Amino acid sequence: MENNVKEVACHSENVTSCRKSHHPERVKKDLTTRLNRVEGQIRGIKGMIDNDVYCDDIITQLSATQSALNSVAKILLEGHIKGCVVDRISEGDDEVLDELVVTIQRLMKK
């Protein structure tokens, strides 16, 4: 992951209100670029299936696509921990730790 990932920060405006992330434009652009690449990979996989490409080759592309999605998730998780989680703990909201455990468990299922 790039050094600028440390700048990813999301903040809870109010625990009871709708929470939003606040990422620097550079990080948003990086995430969008990565997701656009994943979108292209998915279209490519669909084309491979339409063209009856050998299954092992499709599985290889699926693996690469999953890896790319995992990379996006890692960037977001790091920003969430360094931003949201730290902020909410400093505000006395320890429930964020339970939320974080659930989030990590969801990521590990994949």
Side-chain angles (χ1 to χ4, degrees), residues 76-93:
L76 287 169
L77 181 61
E78 180 179 352
H80 180 60
I81 292 168
K82 291 180 177 181
C84 296
V85 174
V86 169
D87 289 349
R88 286 177 60 188
I89 288 172
S90 70
E91 294 168 0
D93 181 4

Side-chain angles (χ1 to χ4, degrees), residues 45-87:
I45 291 167
K46 288 164 75 175
M48 292 172 79
I49 291 170
D50 288 343
N51 293 318
D52 298 319
V53 171
Y54 187 60
C55 296
D56 190 55
D57 295 335
I58 296 171
I59 291 168
T60 298
Q61 289 305 310
L62 284 168
S63 177
T65 302
Q66 185 62 54
S67 178
L69 280 173
N70 287 343
S71 176
V72 171
K74 287 176 190 176
I75 292 168
L76 287 169
L77 181 61
E78 180 179 352
H80 180 60
I81 292 168
K82 291 180 177 181
C84 296
V85 174
V86 169
D87 289 349

Side-chain angles (χ1 to χ4, degrees), residues 5-105:
V5 171
K6 293 177 183 172
E7 294 181 26
V8 173
C10 41
H11 304 282
S12 170
E13 293 177 42
N14 182 333
V15 176
T16 59
S17 70
C18 178
R19 296 179 289 186
K20 294 191 177 214
S21 295
H22 302 284
H23 304 287
E25 286 303 315
R26 178 174 60 202
V27 174
K28 282 186 192 181
K29 184 176 180 186
D30 178 47
L31 292 170
T32 300
T33 298
R34 289 171 185 268
L35 289 170
N36 286 340
R37 196 173 307 129
V38 168
E39 186 177 28
Q41 287 174 301
I42 295 294
R43 280 193 305 271
I45 291 167
K46 288 164 75 175
M48 292 172 79
I49 291 170
D50 288 343
N51 293 318
D52 298 319
V53 171
Y54 187 60
C55 296
D56 190 55
D57 295 335
I58 296 171
I59 291 168
T60 298
Q61 289 305 310
L62 284 168
S63 177
T65 302
Q66 185 62 54
S67 178
L69 280 173
N70 287 343
S71 176
V72 171
K74 287 176 190 176
I75 292 168
L76 287 169
L77 181 61
E78 180 179 352
H80 180 60
I81 292 168
K82 291 180 177 181
C84 296
V85 174
V86 169
D87 289 349
R88 286 177 60 188
I89 288 172
S90 70
E91 294 168 0
D93 181 4
D94 291 340
E95 288 181 24
V96 71
L97 295 175
D98 293 330
E99 178 185 288
L100 178 61
V101 169
V102 171
T103 298
I104 292 170
Q105 288 172 341

